[in-house]
Amino acid sequence: MSDGEGVDRRGFLLKAGFAGALALGIGSATIQSMPGRERGPVTIDPRAYARPRAQGDPVGQAGQVRPVAATTPRPGTPFRGTVTQLTPFRDPLPTMATARGDRFGGVDNLTIRMRPNYVRLHSQLPPTKIWGFDGRFPGPIIEARRGKPLRVTWTNELTGPYPLPVVEILFDENADPYQWDVPGREGVAPRADVAALPGWTSVHLHGHFSDGGSDGWAEDAVLAGRSQLVEYRNDQPATTLWYHDHAMHITRWNVMSGLLGMYILRDDEEASLRLPSGDREVPLLICDRNFDTDDKNRLTGTMLHKTTVMSTDPLRQVRSFAGPYTLVNGAIWPFKDVEPDWYRFRMANASNTRPYVVQAVTEDGKPLPPNTIFVIGSDAGLLGAPVDVAGGFSLAASERADVLIDFRALAGKKVLLRNIDYDPGPWPDFLQFRVAQRGRQSGFRLPKTLARSFTRVTEKQPVEAERMVMLTPVGVSHARLWEMQKIEAPPGPFPIDGIVQLKEQDGSVTTWKRMAYQWTDPTQYTVKAGSWERWRFVNLDWSGWPHPMHVHVCAFQPVKRGFYNIDGFQFIDLPGGGIGGGTTTPVFWERSEPVAPDQAGWKDVVNVAAGESVDVVAKFADVTGKFVYHCHMLEHEDMSMMRPFLVQPKEVIAIAKSMAHELPPTAGGGHGH
């Protein structure tokens, strides 16, 4: 990409010259704006979008929402497009509304309604139809406090003709030009089966320690006219969480439609640090999208999920979605006016797939100097001390980062947040800060110690059980989760379906047998409520995919990372038909890698690169029920990279054993590795 002409292969993307209650009818949402700039609803006539608006037109900035009735075109009559290019940093960063529960019966209660609406994602785009929590994209920030339970009624009002607002297209991987991240359908008909999907939802509060009945079990989704009633105990440290749809088989399209939002949990330990607050505390919910085009290649604003088909034999294998347009708080490539002072940014990667390595750079592309940008918290809470991340920090799908930036030495300058881990095509800079010449000084000073309660977990932490999960390659099958059991080596010959051998750093060879991998296979893992466990994820995918692995109702710390030569794993033609897999020779250890300091805190997502093995030590919450763990690439989650597990009281597990009830083989114990 040249400095003077920032366009993709078909000239769609860029302008030239930019440097790189438990309701029962009682609890209702109390909605207010976060401090800062608020843009209220407006009424827009869709017919006005038959032509592009002028560059300086102040009407219809990104992030605005409005009633459906004011803008709904006739069914089957999409908006005409406006422009073929979108100008980065034209629109201000939208201010997200907040929702707090109303007190009733000694408990906070909140009702949030999922409903269709139209929003502006960029001032040069026509309105985009969405499904949104309270009709917003993203949904409101739910504010909660540790120790104060919140009962939420998630009400499904997703009705009307052609309910799903996302167009789904299947493309051949060998299409020319390459279609993965290019706008428009190229004349390919949308999938009728996807267009016919009803509004069927199950809301999951990601990272929250919920009992099974409130976690958003994927198969317990509800249709329009029904509600999901949950209770969030909020019995965990202050952190940034996010909520999203988790409906079985269709999560990727429901989330892309707009069913996502942020949840902020606060506590006294966090408050004692006197971190930047008010308009100096800014949530940043990041995701990527693609759009359809009209017959003149102009962007229509209709969200487009382009699925690239890699093969169809023996089953359809597809590439996970990634889009060319990065949105922050529901606006494409926005800007944010800041004063020369400290700011706190709560960042969450809500993309289907796209990983970010975020770096703050000046207009000329130079990284900010040391002691300017720090990570102070990860998925599940504050770190023990700030980590300087001038060189960048990772943000895989569904990971969060709590970030402080000191703008005091940057008065009058522009600063960009850039994804330095991006595919050719997408515009890497996704948010611009415009630092004022002067401003209020808060007097904030970076503390040397953050969470005094934080303790770094080590490999020596005693655990109740050890789990081995292997991630198989994308190839003749989808990537899968293999739950493994350690066994004595069989006599061979190798390969044997479901048998994997590992040669460790000390030269020892261990042999592992697959116990389960399909969603419908019997549950293998029973966890004692409140216990410590060690989980090991080994990525055997030589096709190159990293997998962001998420385990529900626990917080964990990565304690060991290493890379293996995985050439020995191969697919196998089974005698009775079908495809299996196993090792012809052991996959073997090549090198160890340290855990990055910003990744060494409490987390609920860990990114496992191709050929990588990651060990995490997890503390499970004192909750019970049936839960899942899965890859958080939404296409992978929908296509078999998800497995169930149980959490039960240790006393109940003991009773079951005393009655000789059949339990999963690793219940209450484990297999070493």
Side-chain angles (χ1 to χ4, degrees):
M1 180 181 293
S2 67
D3 292 336
E5 187 178 15
V7 297
D8 80 328
R9 289 174 294 277
R10 282 177 18 192
F12 272 98
L13 301 185
L14 311 173
K15 283 283 189 181
F18 282 90
L22 219 38
L24 302 179
I26 333 172
S28 61
T30 301
I31 303 288
Q32 63 187 45
S33 66
M34 289 285 282
R37 184 179 309 188
E38 168 73 5
R39 291 184 297 284
V42 297
T43 299
I44 296 179
D45 183 350
R47 293 171 296 181
Y49 289 89
R51 58 176 178 81
R53 288 187 176 272
Q55 172 78 19
D57 189 345
V59 177
Q61 291 177 328
Q64 292 179 320
V65 297
R66 60 202 54 78
V68 176
T71 59
T72 306
R74 292 191 306 275
T77 308
F79 291 120
R80 280 193 279 170
T82 52
V83 295
T84 59
Q85 301 172 347
L86 297 181
T87 305
F89 317 132
R90 172 182 167 117
D91 299 311
L93 179 74
T95 299
M96 295 170 65
T98 60
R100 295 182 177 88
D102 294 330
R103 200 74 172 167
F104 182 85
V107 178
D108 288 342
N109 297 271
L110 181 64
T111 296
I112 292 185
R113 295 172 172 83
M114 291 169 274
R115 58 188 180 87
N117 208 349
Y118 281 83
V119 301
R120 294 292 297 280
L121 305 181
H122 191 282
S123 56
Q124 292 173 308
L125 279 179
T128 294
K129 185 179 180 181
I130 62 149
W131 286 348
F133 293 101
D134 282 329
R136 296 175 178 270
F137 173 61
I141 299 171
I142 299 177
E143 288 265 5
R145 189 157 190 88
R146 186 175 188 178
K148 291 185 65 176
L150 175 65
R151 293 173 178 170
V152 179
T153 300
W154 302 104
T155 298
N156 186 334
E157 298 178 356
L158 300 172
T159 59
Y162 311 108
L164 186 72
V166 172
V167 173
E168 163 68 11
I169 300 297
L170 289 176
F171 268 100
D172 189 310
E173 184 180 37
N174 298 316
D176 185 18
Y178 193 51
Q179 301 297 327
W180 190 29
D181 56 5
V182 175
R185 302 190 246 151
E186 302 296 324
V188 177
R191 280 181 61 177
D193 55 347
V194 175
L197 287 171
W200 187 62
T201 64
S202 178
V203 182
H204 169 58
L205 178 51
H206 178 113
H208 194 271
F209 300 162
S210 306
D211 280 297
S214 297
D215 192 55
W217 180 256
E219 293 174 320
D220 287 344
V222 299
L223 291 166
R226 298 169 174 84
S227 295
Q228 175 187 347
L229 313 178
V230 302
E231 181 173 83
Y232 300 131
R233 300 299 301 169
N234 295 323
D235 187 18
Q236 61 194 95
T239 192
T240 303
L241 309 175
W242 72 294
Y243 57 93
H244 60 85
D245 174 77
H246 212 300
M248 192 72 184
H249 312 300
I250 60 173
T251 296
R252 60 197 185 277
W253 296 310
N254 282 359
V255 173
M256 175 162 284
S257 295
L259 293 177
L260 68 161
M262 191 176 279
Y263 189 106
I264 293 178
L265 183 60
R266 303 187 186 277
D267 67 9
D268 292 341
E269 183 175 53
E270 176 197 43
S272 70
L273 298 173
R274 300 185 181 277
L275 298 168
S277 60
D279 62 356
R280 307 291 172 90
E281 179 186 17
V282 183
L284 301 177
L285 197 59
I286 304 163
C287 61
D288 57 347
R289 295 292 185 266
N290 201 351
F291 300 105
D292 201 1
T293 56
D294 64 14
D295 56 1
K296 295 184 178 179
N297 286 337
R298 297 175 305 190
L299 298 163
T300 66
T302 299
M303 286 189 288
L304 181 64
H305 185 280
K306 301 184 79 165
T307 299
T308 305
V309 179
M310 297 185 292
S311 69
T312 57
D313 184 23
L315 78 168
R316 180 190 291 157
Q317 299 167 57
V318 302
R319 186 182 298 277
S320 295
F321 171 85
Y325 302 99
T326 303
L327 291 77
V328 187
N329 297 357
I332 298 170
W333 304 321
F335 70 86
K336 170 69 177 173
D337 290 321
V338 297
E339 298 182 35
D341 196 22
W342 286 91
Y343 279 73
R344 180 185 188 183
F345 298 98
R346 295 177 175 267
M347 301 177 65
N349 181 1
S351 302
N352 281 39
T353 297
R354 185 176 298 285
Y356 288 76
V357 176
V358 180
Q359 188 176 50
V361 300
T362 57
E363 277 190 287
D364 57 3
K366 295 180 180 178
L368 296 189
N371 300 313
T372 305
I373 177 170
F374 299 87
V375 166
I376 62 169
S378 52
D379 302 336
L382 293 169
L383 300 175
V387 177
D388 192 319
V389 289
F393 59 94
S394 63
L395 205 63
S398 209
E399 283 189 306
R400 284 90 67 210
D402 204 341
V403 180
L404 294 178
I405 301 181
D406 181 4
F407 292 107
R408 289 177 300 174
L410 299 164
K413 300 183 182 297
K414 293 178 180 176
V415 175
L416 301 168
L417 288 187
R418 172 174 293 175
N419 184 14
I420 59 176
D421 177 25
Y422 71 99
D423 306 306
W427 181 242
D429 301 330
F430 57 91
L431 179 61
Q432 181 192 71
F433 297 114
R434 299 176 180 178
V435 188
Q437 289 284 0
R438 300 177 183 81
R440 295 174 292 118
Q441 294 295 311
S442 62
F444 172 76
R445 305 183 77 174
L446 182 70
K448 293 183 178 179
T449 301
L450 295 167
R452 296 186 181 278
S453 62
F454 177 83
T455 301
R456 180 72 177 117
V457 175
T458 71
E459 290 191 71
K460 297 181 180 180
Q461 171 66 41
V463 296
E464 294 275 357
E466 298 186 355
R467 318 290 186 183
M468 168 67 87
V469 179
M470 295 186 179
L471 319 176
T472 65
V474 177
V476 294
S477 72
H478 300 306
R480 302 187 187 280
L481 306 179
W482 281 11
E483 296 175 348
M484 310 297 286
Q485 181 178 10
K486 191 176 180 182
I487 63 170
E488 295 297 324
F494 294 95
I496 302 171
D497 180 37
I499 301 295
V500 175
Q501 292 189 306
L502 298 182
K503 186 175 183 180
E504 304 291 2
Q505 184 175 2
D506 63 2
S508 63
V509 175
T510 55
T511 303
W512 299 86
K513 178 182 179 181
R514 182 184 66 222
M515 299 184 295
Y517 72 95
Q518 298 185 93
W519 172 253
T520 53
D521 286 341
T523 302
Q524 298 296 323
Y525 295 161
T526 298
V527 176
K528 293 180 181 179
S531 68
W532 291 86
E533 293 201 352
R534 181 167 173 151
W535 289 51
R536 187 181 191 187
F537 299 102
V538 178
N539 187 350
L540 300 173
D541 190 354
W542 22 250
S543 66
W545 285 105
H547 295 282
M549 297 305 302
H550 171 49
V551 185
H552 286 212
V553 297
C554 74
F556 55 68
Q557 292 184 24
V559 296
K560 184 178 181 181
R561 307 189 83 122
F563 282 86
Y564 285 73
N565 182 306
I566 54 178
D567 291 343
F569 184 87
Q570 300 293 328
F571 289 112
I572 304 167
D573 291 320
L574 300 179
I579 303 293
T583 49
T584 54
T585 58
V587 300
F588 58 90
W589 177 88
E590 288 189 321
R591 70 184 190 280
S592 295
E593 293 283 347
V595 177
D598 62 288
Q599 294 280 311
W602 289 108
K603 297 178 56 57
D604 54 54
V605 176
V606 64
N607 206 31
V608 187
E612 188 176 22
S613 171
V614 180
D615 287 37
V616 302
V617 173
K619 179 67 166 65
F620 281 85
D622 193 14
V623 298
T624 61
K626 194 171 187 179
F627 304 96
V628 295
Y629 71 96
H630 55 88
C631 174
H632 220 290
M633 295 163 65
L634 299 185
E635 282 75 13
H636 285 193
E637 173 184 333
D638 281 343
M639 297 177 185
S640 78
M641 285 199 78
M642 184 163 71
R643 282 283 297 155
F645 67 93
L646 302 175
V647 181
Q648 296 179 350
K650 62 181 181 180
E651 298 84 357
V652 173
I653 294 174
I655 289 292
K657 285 184 174 181
S658 73
M659 295 186 295
H661 284 186
E662 184 177 349
L663 287 175
T666 55
H671 302 281
H673 50 264

